[in-house]
Amino acid sequence: MSILLIAPPALWRNRYLEKHERGAYFDVQKRYLGSGAWSFPAENLAIMSIKAYAESRGIDVTTINAQSARHASIEETWHAILESARESGDPLLIGFTGTAEMYEESMDLALRAKRRWPNVLTVLGHDLATLNWRDVLTRSDAFDFACAGDGEAPFTELARRVLNGESLGGCPSMFSRDDVGSAPVRHRKVPALNLDELPWPSRDDLPAVRALGMGAAVFSSRGCPFRCTFCTTGSKSALQHGSDSYRTKSITNVVDEISMLHRDYGVNFVTISDDLFLLNQVHSRRRAEEFATEMIRRQLPVSFMVDCRIDSIDASLFSLLAQAGLVKVFVGVETADDDQLQIYGKVYDRKSDSQFDVIRKKLQLLHDLGLDVVPGVLTYHPRVTKRELQMTDHLIEICQTPAPNMYWTKIIAYPGTPLYADYKARGLLSGDWPTEYWHFEDPKAERQYDRFIQLISGRRSSFEFVRKTFLSTVDSWDED
């Protein structure tokens, strides 16, 4: 008998360019991101952290990361599950993780497992399950449980009960169909874990990840104190009150883990995969300074990447981080349009500067330090205007990152977020839950987008070609 954790293959379905392209997730990422793909975190730290936690309590867990295994079909992942059963015994419990885009893959695999092993129990975790556990349990028979919040303790407790033949009712943070129709019971939720008490994630996948030419990752925090309306992390954090909304590891713990990765695996670059490594708050700045100082003190020859907001970029702090090994920064720029930033719940203290000037000055600080900047830009949304698209082109220009995908990026409305609720209330969504499409409110916007995508579809186009095509279709906004 065995316990399994599965990360589905995340099969590529490019809605915007080559609709019929298929391939292993990271192979396609490399084709579209080019040289920038090397820093993409390919380990699934979620299931590897659960595995480490369970095994620290005497429960063996087998993991299948279909993405790092380069599965290009559901069949490959299903055969890997069958092979695991032959080696370790029929599964009693299978957990699945993944974003809304991977829901259908998890559901497919769970239903196959139930047909093969009628008594197997299945669990869906991650943000989708946390924010939408009732939908997960009522829309399909694929899952017996939905795990809310941190998965380490709940999944391990459920596995222990399954293995010991104990009652499964009332398992903390695990919702079943018995809970549907009633309000969630607060005492059923376990307190958020102290991250320093977690064992480091298992690194079973790291050799395969490095063989792909991609980097290792660590996490130093969980959650987020901000409430961007499109973000599942903020919505999930809102369910945990007070200090549990955003939790951090000690800097000693984080640097110790990076040191271990360098010593035991020869790692010389890590992505710090926090949703937000640095906040525009005194305590967060001090923590970042402590991290940089400790990396410098230990003279670790490991470079790193972080995520941050525009308003947390500071010349002196990032200069120190660069001395410590920072080489790449993801910045959630989103848009330069003030009204849209308000809708997204992203408001910066800009004093007398315009939003555009704030972004330009902050990004220039990073470029002046020689850092590789990866801007997150949300080009299209239901109410986009010609003026905003022109502003977006100017925004992409000041980002100084020639990534053509920034021109066709569309906001995603994830179930459980305020943005999803707003779009649904306005009748903008259609398609199958949880990956509904939204519609443009202005037919001119829809026409421009369709023309743009049609002209670049099926091409391995340069940044300049994509930009030129984008601008020409924006210029013809008012043409029939």
Side-chain angles (χ1 to χ4, degrees):
M1 298 296 123
S2 61
I3 308 293
L4 296 179
L5 282 169
I6 312 295
L11 299 177
W12 188 263
R13 292 178 174 84
N14 193 329
R15 303 176 185 176
Y16 315 126
L17 292 179
E18 300 180 44
K19 295 182 179 180
H20 301 293
E21 179 168 352
R22 296 290 185 269
Y25 179 71
F26 288 120
D27 289 345
V28 179
Q29 288 289 82
K30 284 183 177 181
R31 289 201 291 272
Y32 279 92
L33 296 178
S35 60
W38 65 272
S39 62
F40 202 95
E43 293 177 277
N44 191 302
L45 294 186
I47 63 172
M48 290 305 178
S49 184
I50 296 173
K51 174 183 173 71
Y53 186 91
E55 292 185 346
S56 73
R57 283 151 177 78
I59 298 174
D60 290 331
V61 174
T62 299
T63 59
I64 297 174
N65 183 349
Q67 295 159 41
S68 63
R70 296 179 66 192
H71 292 176
S73 69
I74 285 289
E75 291 299 326
E76 288 185 74
T77 309
W78 175 240
H79 287 307
I81 293 172
L82 294 176
E83 182 61 27
S84 174
R86 282 190 287 270
E87 293 179 358
S88 304
D90 292 352
L92 295 175
L93 176 66
I94 306 178
F96 296 88
T97 188
T99 61
E101 292 91 338
M102 287 180 269
Y103 171 75
E104 288 188 10
E105 297 174 11
S106 294
M107 183 171 63
D108 184 318
L109 293 167
L111 290 172
R112 292 187 192 211
K114 285 186 168 295
R115 288 193 294 269
R116 180 70 178 236
W117 305 289
N119 294 323
V120 71
L121 296 173
T122 54
V123 182
L124 183 67
H126 208 272
D127 294 357
L128 178 68
T130 298
L131 297 172
N132 306 275
W133 64 268
R134 284 189 177 88
D135 283 297
V136 166
L137 295 172
T138 57
R139 289 177 178 270
S140 169
D141 294 330
F143 305 106
D144 300 294
F145 296 92
C147 180
D150 295 328
E152 288 88 352
F155 187 83
T156 299
E157 174 61 16
L158 183 63
R160 186 193 67 78
R161 295 188 189 189
V162 168
L163 290 169
N164 293 336
E166 298 178 14
S167 170
L168 305 181
C171 191
S173 290
M174 284 288 181
F175 294 105
S176 71
R177 286 182 180 80
D178 292 339
D179 299 301
V180 175
S182 61
V185 182
R186 288 200 179 277
H187 73 264
R188 286 272 310 281
K189 294 185 179 182
V190 297
L193 292 170
N194 181 330
L195 300 186
D196 281 326
E197 295 176 359
L198 290 175
W200 293 333
S202 167
R203 297 294 172 171
D204 291 356
D205 277 353
L206 187 52
V209 166
R210 299 199 71 203
L212 284 171
M214 307 185 87
V218 299
F219 69 89
S220 79
S221 67
R222 281 186 182 171
C224 182
F226 299 104
R227 298 295 176 260
C228 300
T229 60
F230 56 82
C231 181
T232 57
T233 300
S235 295
K236 184 173 71 172
S237 297
L239 299 177
Q240 297 171 308
H241 301 286
S243 61
D244 288 345
S245 175
Y246 177 70
R247 294 158 289 146
T248 60
K249 287 184 177 181
S250 69
I251 293 303
T252 298
N253 188 330
V254 177
V255 180
D256 282 349
E257 185 176 11
I258 294 173
S259 178
M260 177 276 295
L261 290 172
H262 175 66
R263 181 187 67 243
D264 296 350
Y265 296 92
V267 168
N268 55 20
F269 172 85
V270 296
T271 295
I272 299 178
S273 61
D274 304 1
D275 286 279
L276 207 56
F277 173 75
L278 179 61
L279 316 177
N280 185 25
Q281 297 173 4
V282 173
H283 70 88
S284 183
R285 288 174 50 83
R286 288 175 178 168
R287 182 172 181 269
E289 290 170 357
E290 182 186 352
F291 172 77
T293 301
E294 185 63 11
M295 290 286 288
I296 293 169
R297 186 188 71 80
R298 298 196 195 188
Q299 298 183 320
L300 277 175
V302 180
S303 57
F304 58 93
M305 172 183 178
V306 301
D307 287 22
C308 72
R309 284 166 53 106
I310 282 289
D311 58 357
S312 64
I313 297 172
D314 172 82
S316 61
L317 176 57
F318 273 80
S319 177
L320 179 63
L321 287 167
Q323 293 175 49
L326 178 65
V327 294
K328 198 168 187 177
V329 185
F330 177 90
V331 185
V333 176
E334 324 311 359
T335 178
D337 183 81
D338 287 338
D339 292 338
Q340 197 57 35
L341 279 173
Q342 291 278 354
I343 291 172
Y344 290 157
K346 259 192 163 172
V347 180
Y348 303 128
D349 180 11
R350 356 178 263 245
K351 298 181 181 178
S352 60
D353 285 335
S354 69
Q355 179 62 41
F356 186 86
D357 286 336
V358 169
I359 295 171
R360 178 180 55 79
K361 291 177 180 179
K362 295 291 189 179
L363 293 183
Q364 190 59 51
L365 287 175
L366 301 181
H367 289 299
D368 289 345
L369 290 169
L371 299 175
D372 187 1
V373 178
V374 182
V377 177
L378 299 173
T379 302
Y380 289 97
H381 58 83
R383 291 177 172 171
V384 73
T385 64
K386 179 180 180 179
R387 175 181 171 276
E388 186 180 347
L389 291 178
Q390 292 169 333
M391 290 174 62
T392 297
D393 173 62
H394 198 182
L395 178 66
I396 293 173
E397 185 178 23
I398 66 169
C399 286
Q400 302 179 43
T401 303
N405 63 292
M406 287 190 288
Y407 280 103
W408 66 72
T409 304
K410 296 178 78 173
I411 186 76
I412 298 175
Y414 286 108
T417 63
L419 191 76
Y420 178 91
D422 176 48
Y423 286 8
K424 189 174 182 64
R426 288 158 52 196
L428 296 174
L429 299 177
S430 63
D432 297 327
W433 187 91
T435 54
E436 294 101 321
Y437 295 86
W438 51 258
H439 306 284
F440 290 103
E441 292 188 340
D442 186 344
K444 293 180 180 179
E446 183 173 6
R447 186 165 59 245
Q448 182 276 329
Y449 176 78
D450 288 344
R451 285 175 178 170
F452 171 52
I453 296 304
Q454 183 179 17
L455 289 170
I456 64 173
S457 181
R459 299 171 179 264
R460 289 289 187 270
S461 302
S462 68
F463 175 81
E464 284 305 323
F465 174 81
V466 171
R467 183 186 184 216
K468 181 179 179 181
T469 306
F470 174 82
L471 290 175
S472 69
T473 55
V474 172
D475 287 343
S476 61
W477 181 274
D478 295 314
E479 297 178 7
D480 292 332

